[in-house]
Every structure is written in structure tokens, then in C-alpha cells.
């Protein structure tokens, strides 16, 4: 027995070591990639785009998942409980000026935008949509609980799934926009808490709220979708992308100079990569270096460069790998700096092929007209654009006045879908597929009549106006430069948001400005005056009447002095009246 005990201990120790080796050899089922793209804009501003991608090799609807490492547990349970196929949420402050800043990697409308694809197994989509928006409102400290049937639509063609989809039945899609939503620090804090490294390490240390909200444009978003796990697409993985885009006014923050640095923009520098990240890169757009009247210098020198066709233009990026110790070159932090050796001519900037504006016209408070102007600046190629218009129910559209003109001629849409509004139940939905000729301007206009709301339906500041959701443009814009198909996993994150099957064009989704429309507003000071006058009359009349009914009167004779009584008796005697 004494010889057998050590043998048993050795066998147990070997078994435990073997199990430990197998557990260490088993690859992790989730991964994290982070990147920052710094782009000098044609207007002289600087755009900074953060992307954090968490990929999880798990099927949440089928597997009973209880352990979460990198993927946020609150979002994983949300997907599993409500059978969500895709979820896209954005909170934006400001408006992306496409004509002056160029095409963004991913644009979002001003305010809050939420669109969700549900699984085919969901029986009551409206109920799941309402509960889901309420939960997201609590997670991100936003006013998403104000999403209801009056601002929710079901597009038929505009918002297709960006990930894997077994079917595209639009009845399982819901889309809503809250243009009045104001983005603040309370929305950024829960967004940062979803990151695996939070704001403690990696690129997220630059996310200082004081600097991020002192910008011309701020947009943070969360995108969840299923993607292929490998090239054969046998299994499915879940991808979470957290994006944040800000535009710094270089002339304001740089004392009138276009030179910038990480410390000047964020008041911080990069000290290390996120320990949980498998890739951590910083890209600096140096495409205009060497062009006419364009000369810039980036320091420290990049470790490598990356060239690709992004949004129809051939781009060159300086690449900094934060996992490579040589990037920090012996220093404790990385402070990227860009200096322009020559001034830039802002007037010679290139205008994007597709951009749009929207405005409201008319006079008075009875009728008006909504107009959307679409610009196709491509020199020789025409392409179709899918236009989505969402109009509140209190603007009653005259559909027979819909006019689409291009170069003074009528332009008939090849596809049109219109869902009329119902008072206090649902908004107007108008989708059209319009062909834009080369180098043309197309105007889409429709007249409307303003409705008179109930006095309880007005906002606390009715004279401020009522917001109208922006128009949504979806198009495949032709490429001027030939592009090669790139590997999905090896390409940067900013080039793999929208799936593409043809390298001759690229997908663009743009948003116009939200509109502010005045409605017939009663004089709310008159009820106040009536209430004050009525209360005053009631108080005076009722108070006097009540006083008379409840007061008791007691007759008391005044006490007089002896001198007064003596004088009074003398006078009474003279007059022949009996004394008192």
C-alpha cells in the first residue's frame, strides 16, 4: 500500500497536467480587433474613425451560452432572447457635410437611428421591437423608449441585411429615427463599457469625453450581425462592431493651422495596445502627399504603408502596428503628428459623385413643399439611387403632386412604394428607385398640408418646431479606379463594413439634413390668462360669500368714560331727551 500511494499521486498529477495542456491548446472562440483611421479632410478638418470589432464563434440562438469573455453579455442575452438577426444603432450629434468632407466610411443621421432584422421565428415583431427599444434605451441611456408606431416604418428595399441572411422578408424589419435626440457623455460611458478593455488600454484611452464632444461632428454606433466563420461559410460567427467618428476643426484647435497631433486633438497619447486585441492598428491617410500644392510630413515614420481603393478613390495609408514594439521606438507613448509643408487650396477640392440636400419651402402655416435635390457629379456614368422618405402623420402628403425632374424633364422612377399614414398611428413611407443621369441634378418634390394637433400633443416648446426624419439614399456608385477583391479578414475594418460582390462599384448610404417644420400653434398664453382671471373671480366671489355664511356677528357697546357720559347727558337734557 505504501508503494501504491505515490504511484496514484503521480498518475493524478499527469492527468491534471494533460488536461491543462489541452485547455491551453484549445483556441479561443472570440477575438478582438481595433483600429483608428485619421483622415485630413479637403476642408482642412481632421476626421478620426475608431472601430472595435469583437468576433465570437458561437451561434447564440442554438447554443446555450453562459460564459462570455470578450463579447458583452448584455448584448448576447439580448440577441438570444429576442431572436435578433441584425441590430444597428447610432447616436449622432451634428451633420456630416458630404460635399465638403467627402464620402464617410459609415454615415449616420443626426439624432438616434435604430433598425433591426428579426429572425423568422418571431411571432409578434411589433411587440419584440417595442421591448427591444426599451431595453436598449436603458443600456445606452438614450430616449429610445420614445420609439413607437408613429415613428416606425418597415422599408421594403432600402435596408437589406449586411450580414448572413436566410431570407429577406421585409416584414421582419423595423426602422426608426429620433432626430431630436441629443447625444451627451451619458451615452458615451455605457458605449465604452462594452469594450473588452473599456477605456483603460489600447485605442480607447483616447476616448476622452471632453475632447470628443468639442468637435464639429460626433457619431457613435453599435452594429451586430452574423458573418461567415471561414471561407466555406459552413459555420456562423457573431460580429460586434463599435464605431465612433469625430471631426475636429483643425483651424480652431490648431490656432489657425492645419497641423495636428494626437495630443492636440485628444489631449492624450497612445501608451499601449489592448492586451486582449489580436490586431491593433493606426492608419493615417497620406493620399494627397506628393500631389500638386500638397506636401505633408508624418512623424514618427510609419512602419509600413497600405494601398487600396476605398470609396472609389485610390488611397495610401501610413500604418502603425501597436503590437509591434518598434512602433513606439523606445518611447513610452505614441504621439502621431502631421505637418503640412505647403498650404492647401480648399477651392480645388473634389466633390463626391453622390450628395444630396433637403429643404422645406412655402409660406404660411397651412401648406408647404418638401424638396430633395440629388447630385450625380460622375462625368459619364449614370446609376440608380434608392430614396427613402419618412414623413410624420401630421404632414399630410398630396401624392398626386409628387414630381421628379432632371434637367427640366420628367424622370419616372422604375420602382415606387408608398404607404399612407394614419393619424396618430403611423407615418408616411415613400420608397423610389430613381435613375440619375451623368453629371445631373435631380429634384424630388411633394406638397403637404399641416395638420392641427390637439393641445395635449404639443411639445413643451411648440414654437421651436417639429422634426422631420432625413431622407436616406442607397446607391452603388461606379468606380473610376479598378479595384481588386480583397480578403475579408486581412483587410482593414474600415473597408469591410458593407459586403460587395463587384469591384466595379461601391455601396454608399447617405442621409440628408433633418428638417424643422412649424405647425399651426395656438396661443398658449390665452389659457393661462383665462385660468388666472377665473381663479381670481372665483377666489373673490366664493371667499366673500363663504365669509358671510360662516362669520358670526356680536354687538358690543363701546365703553365710554365718565366725562363723555356727563357731556352727553347735558346735551340730551338741553334737547329734551332722557339721559343715558
Amino acid at each position: 500500500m505504501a508503494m501504491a500511494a505515490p504511484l496514484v499521486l503521480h498518475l493524478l498529477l499527469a492527468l491534471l497536467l494533460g488536461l491543462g495542456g489541452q485547455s491551453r491548446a484549445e483556441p479561443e472562440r472570440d477575438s478582438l480587433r481595433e483600429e483608428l483611421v485619421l483622415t485630413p479632410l479637403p476642408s482642412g478638418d481632421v476626421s478620426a474613425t475608431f472601430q472595435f470589432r469583437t468576433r465570437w464563434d458561437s451561434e447564440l440562438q442554438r447554443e446555450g451560452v453562459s460564459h462570455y469573455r470578450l463579447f458583452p453579455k448584455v448584448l448576447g442575452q439580448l440577441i438570444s432572447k429576442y431572436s435578433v438577426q441584425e441590430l444597428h444603432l447610432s447616436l449622432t450629434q451634428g451633420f456630416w457635410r458630404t460635399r465638403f468632407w467627402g464620402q464617410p466610411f459609415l454615415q449616420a443621421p443626426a439624432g438616434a437611428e435604430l433598425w433591426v432584422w428579426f429572425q423568422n421565428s418571431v411571432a409578434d415583431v411589433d411587440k419584440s421591437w417595442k421591448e427591444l427599444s426599451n431595453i436598449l434605451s436603458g443600456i445606452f441611456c438614450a430616449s429610445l423608449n420614445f420609439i413607437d408606431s408613429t415613428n416606425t416604418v418597415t422599408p421594403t428595399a432600402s435596408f437589406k441585411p449586411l450580414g448572413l441572411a436566410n431570407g429577406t422578408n421585409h416584414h421582419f424589419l423595423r426602422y426608426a429615427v429620433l432626430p431630436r435626440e441629443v447625444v451627451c457623455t451619458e451615452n458615451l460611458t455605457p458605449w465604452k463599457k462594452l469594450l473588452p478593455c473599456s477605456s483603460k488600454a489600447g485605442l480607447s484611452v483616447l476616448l476622452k469625453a471632453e475632447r470628443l464632444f468639442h468637435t464639429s461632428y460626433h457619431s457613435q454606433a453599435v452594429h451586430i450581425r452574423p458573418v461567415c466563420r471561414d471561407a466555406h461559410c459552413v459555420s456562423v460567427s457573431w460580429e460586434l462592431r463599435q464605431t465612433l467618428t469625430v471631426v475636429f476643426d483643425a483651424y480652431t484647435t490648431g490656432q489657425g493651422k492645419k497641423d495636428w497631433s494626437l495630443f492636440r486633438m485628444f489631449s492624450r497619447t497612445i501608451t499601449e495596445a489592448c492586451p486582449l486585441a489580436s490586431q491593433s492598428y493606426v492608419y493615417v491617410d497620406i493620399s494627397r502627399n506628393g500631389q500638386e500644392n500638397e506636401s505633408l510630413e508624418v512623424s514618427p515614420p510609419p512602419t509600413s504603408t497600405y494601398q487600396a481603393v476605398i470609396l472609389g478613390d485610390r488611397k495610401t495609408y501610413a500604418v502603425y502596428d501597436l503590437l509591434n514594439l518598434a512602433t513606439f521606438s523606445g518611447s513610452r507613448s505614441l504621439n502621431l503628428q502631421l505637418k503640412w509643408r505647403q498650404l492647401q487650396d480648399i477651392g480645388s477640392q473634389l466633390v463626391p459623385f453622390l450628395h444630396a440636400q433637403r429643404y422645406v419651402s412655402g409660406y404660411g402655416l397651412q401648406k408647404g413643399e418638401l424638396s430633395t435635390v440629388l447630385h450625380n457629379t460622375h462625368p459619364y456614368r449614370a446609376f440608380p439611387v434608392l430614396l427613402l422618405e419618412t414623413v410624420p402623420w401630421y404632414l399630410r402628403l398630396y401624392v398626386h403632386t409628387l414630381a421628379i425632374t432632371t434637367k427640366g424633364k420628367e424622370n419616372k422612377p422604375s420602382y415606387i412604394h408608398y404607404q399612407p399614414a394614419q393619424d396618430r398611428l403611423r407615418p408616411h413611407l415613400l420608397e423610389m428607385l430613381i435613375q440619375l443621369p451623368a453629371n445631373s441634378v435631380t429634384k424630388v418634390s411633394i406638397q403637404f398640408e399641416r395638420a392641427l394637433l390637439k393641445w395635449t400633443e404639443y411639445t413643451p416648446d411648440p414654437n421651436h418646431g417639429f422634426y422631420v426624419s432625413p431622407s436616406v439614399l442607397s446607391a452603388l456608385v461606379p468606380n473610376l479606379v479598378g479595384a481588386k477583391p480583397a480578403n475579408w479578414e486581412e483587410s482593414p475594418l474600415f473597408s469591410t463594413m458593407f459586403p460587395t460582390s463587384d469591384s466595379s462599384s461601391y455601396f454608399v448610404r447617405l442621409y440628408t439634413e433633418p428638417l424643422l417644420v412649424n405647425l399651426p400653434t395656438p396661443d398658449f398664453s390665452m389659457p393661462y390668462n383665462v385660468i388666472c382671471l377665473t381663479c381670481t373671480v372665483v377666489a373673490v366671489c366664493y371667499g366673500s360669500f363663504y365669509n358671510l355664511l360662516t362669520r358670526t356677528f356680536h354687538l358690543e357697546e363701546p365703553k365710554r368714560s365718565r366725562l363723555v357720559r356727563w357731556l352727553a347727558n347735558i346735551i340730551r337734557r338741553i334737547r329734551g331727551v332722557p339721559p343715558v
Side-chain angles (χ1 to χ4, degrees):
M1 294 294 294
M3 295 293 294
L7 182 60
V8 172
L9 291 176
H10 283 292
L11 290 176
L12 290 175
L13 183 60
L15 182 61
L16 291 175
L17 291 176
L19 292 176
Q22 291 179 4
S23 62
R24 287 191 298 267
E26 183 180 356
E28 298 291 347
R29 300 180 62 184
D30 49 6
S31 61
L32 171 67
R33 292 175 58 184
E34 60 176 6
E35 73 176 28
L36 167 62
V37 183
L38 300 172
T39 306
L41 300 177
S43 61
D45 303 324
V46 180
S47 169
T49 302
F50 295 84
Q51 288 208 36
F52 304 89
R53 193 200 74 164
T54 304
R55 176 176 170 178
W56 194 11
D57 297 339
S58 174
E59 297 185 12
L60 297 177
Q61 276 85 7
R62 298 181 181 179
E63 302 178 6
V65 179
S66 59
H67 175 67
Y68 292 81
R69 194 175 78 97
L70 299 180
F71 201 92
K73 184 177 181 179
V74 62
L75 296 182
Q77 293 177 343
L78 201 65
I79 296 172
S80 178
K81 180 178 180 179
Y82 293 100
S83 301
V84 175
Q85 179 177 322
E86 281 193 21
L87 187 148
H88 304 271
L89 170 65
S90 65
L91 300 172
T92 306
Q93 185 72 26
F95 176 71
W96 183 274
R97 303 165 60 193
T98 306
R99 184 176 179 182
F100 302 99
W101 293 346
Q103 299 284 3
F105 296 122
L106 182 63
Q107 188 182 357
E113 180 195 41
L114 176 64
W115 58 286
V116 179
W117 277 93
F118 292 94
Q119 296 283 347
N120 298 337
S121 58
V122 178
D124 192 348
V125 179
D126 293 330
K127 180 181 178 181
S128 299
W129 166 255
K130 183 61 178 178
E131 294 179 359
L132 180 63
S133 59
N134 289 335
I135 294 177
L136 291 175
S137 176
I139 294 176
F140 294 98
C141 297
S143 302
L144 301 177
N145 55 311
F146 286 96
I147 294 178
D148 53 15
S149 61
T150 60
N151 48 35
T152 300
V153 295
T154 303
T156 59
S158 293
F159 290 88
K160 294 300 181 182
L162 300 182
L164 297 178
N166 296 327
T168 57
N169 188 355
H170 67 274
H171 296 289
F172 296 95
L173 169 65
R174 293 296 182 271
Y175 173 79
V177 176
L178 298 177
R180 196 181 180 127
E181 180 71 13
V182 179
V183 185
C184 193
T185 310
E186 61 185 8
N187 308 119
L188 179 63
T189 301
W191 185 90
K192 291 193 295 185
K193 289 183 178 179
L194 298 178
L195 299 174
C197 288
S198 185
S199 57
K200 307 300 182 183
L203 297 176
S204 57
V205 298
L206 301 176
L207 303 180
K208 187 178 180 181
E210 180 183 357
R211 301 298 301 168
L212 294 180
F213 289 100
H214 189 64
T215 55
S216 303
Y217 176 82
H218 172 94
S219 178
Q220 60 187 62
V222 173
H223 304 277
I224 304 176
R225 61 179 178 177
V227 296
C228 292
R229 191 173 301 181
D230 49 21
H232 302 286
C233 203
V234 178
S235 303
V236 178
S237 299
W238 283 93
E239 180 188 78
L240 166 65
R241 289 206 185 195
Q242 295 180 243
T243 63
L244 189 145
T245 304
V246 291
V247 176
F248 291 91
D249 189 345
Y251 291 98
T252 301
T253 58
Q255 292 80 35
K257 299 180 181 179
K258 292 172 51 181
D259 302 342
W260 55 264
S261 65
L262 288 181
F263 186 79
R264 181 179 297 176
M265 292 188 296
F266 300 100
S267 297
R268 293 178 180 176
T269 57
I270 302 175
T271 56
E272 61 176 347
C274 177
L276 300 176
S278 59
Q279 294 182 9
S280 182
Y281 290 103
V282 178
Y283 296 89
V284 181
D285 188 358
I286 56 174
S287 304
R288 297 203 301 272
N289 191 13
Q291 297 181 3
E292 183 180 0
N293 297 331
E294 300 285 349
S295 181
L296 54 88
E297 178 183 357
V298 182
S299 63
T303 56
S304 61
T305 58
Y306 174 77
Q307 294 183 354
V309 177
I310 306 297
L311 297 176
D313 293 333
R314 189 173 299 278
K315 298 288 187 178
T316 303
Y317 295 93
V319 183
Y320 297 87
D321 187 1
L322 301 184
L323 297 178
N324 187 1
L325 298 179
T327 302
F328 297 91
S329 63
S331 61
R332 295 183 179 180
S333 62
L334 177 63
N335 183 24
L336 296 178
Q337 299 181 6
L338 187 142
K339 297 182 180 180
W340 294 85
R341 291 194 291 263
Q342 295 183 9
L343 296 178
Q344 179 192 10
D345 185 10
I346 301 179
S348 61
Q349 61 188 11
L350 297 178
V351 180
F353 288 153
L354 177 63
H355 60 277
Q357 294 87 33
R358 194 186 192 199
Y359 59 91
V360 59
S361 58
Y363 58 91
L365 294 178
Q366 181 180 3
K367 297 182 179 180
E369 185 178 79
L370 292 175
S371 300
T372 304
V373 182
L374 312 177
H375 297 264
N376 177 15
T377 61
H378 201 287
Y380 53 86
R381 289 286 299 274
F383 54 87
V385 171
L386 189 60
L387 177 64
L388 171 66
E389 298 274 2
T390 304
V391 183
W393 63 268
Y394 44 77
L395 299 183
R396 294 165 179 169
L397 299 181
Y398 295 150
V399 185
H400 69 280
T401 63
L402 177 64
I404 306 175
T405 57
T406 303
K407 297 181 179 180
K409 299 181 180 179
E410 182 182 2
N411 188 348
K412 293 184 178 180
S414 56
Y415 169 79
I416 185 169
H417 169 73
Y418 174 68
Q419 183 182 38
Q422 294 183 4
D423 288 356
R424 300 171 180 84
L425 289 180
R426 70 182 184 190
H428 300 270
L429 173 63
L430 180 62
E431 285 184 287
M432 296 176 291
L433 185 63
I434 306 172
Q435 185 76 12
L436 301 184
N439 197 14
S440 65
V441 178
T442 302
K443 180 180 178 181
V444 181
S445 61
I446 186 171
Q447 297 180 10
F448 65 89
E449 180 182 359
R450 296 173 172 89
L452 183 62
L453 304 180
K454 298 179 181 179
W455 72 273
T456 56
E457 295 175 342
Y458 285 92
T459 57
D461 52 346
N463 292 310
H464 176 74
F466 292 80
Y467 284 89
V468 180
S469 302
S471 302
V472 186
L473 282 72
S474 305
L476 286 174
V477 181
N479 267 333
L480 282 180
V481 182
K484 298 180 180 179
N487 191 334
W488 183 272
E489 285 297 323
E490 296 179 357
S491 301
L493 297 178
F494 60 83
S495 63
T496 58
M497 186 60 201
F498 295 106
T500 57
S501 58
D502 188 6
S503 59
S504 62
S505 60
Y506 59 94
F507 180 78
V508 171
R509 178 174 291 148
L510 300 179
Y511 298 85
T512 62
E513 307 90 340
L515 298 180
L516 197 60
V517 179
N518 291 324
L519 295 182
T521 305
D523 186 1
F524 286 100
S525 65
M526 292 305 296
Y528 173 77
N529 298 334
V530 171
I531 291 174
C532 292
L533 180 60
T534 304
C535 292
T536 302
V537 172
V538 169
V540 172
C541 297
Y542 177 76
S544 302
F545 188 70
Y546 182 79
N547 191 16
L548 291 174
L549 292 177
T550 58
R551 177 181 292 182
T552 58
F553 297 92
H554 299 280
L555 183 60
E556 294 184 359
E557 294 183 0
K559 296 181 180 180
R560 300 178 180 179
S561 62
R562 293 181 179 180
L563 179 60
V564 173
R565 181 178 296 181
W566 180 73
L567 293 175
N569 290 332
I570 292 175
I571 296 173
R572 293 174 72 89
R573 287 172 183 171
I574 295 173
R575 297 176 59 185
V577 180
V580 178

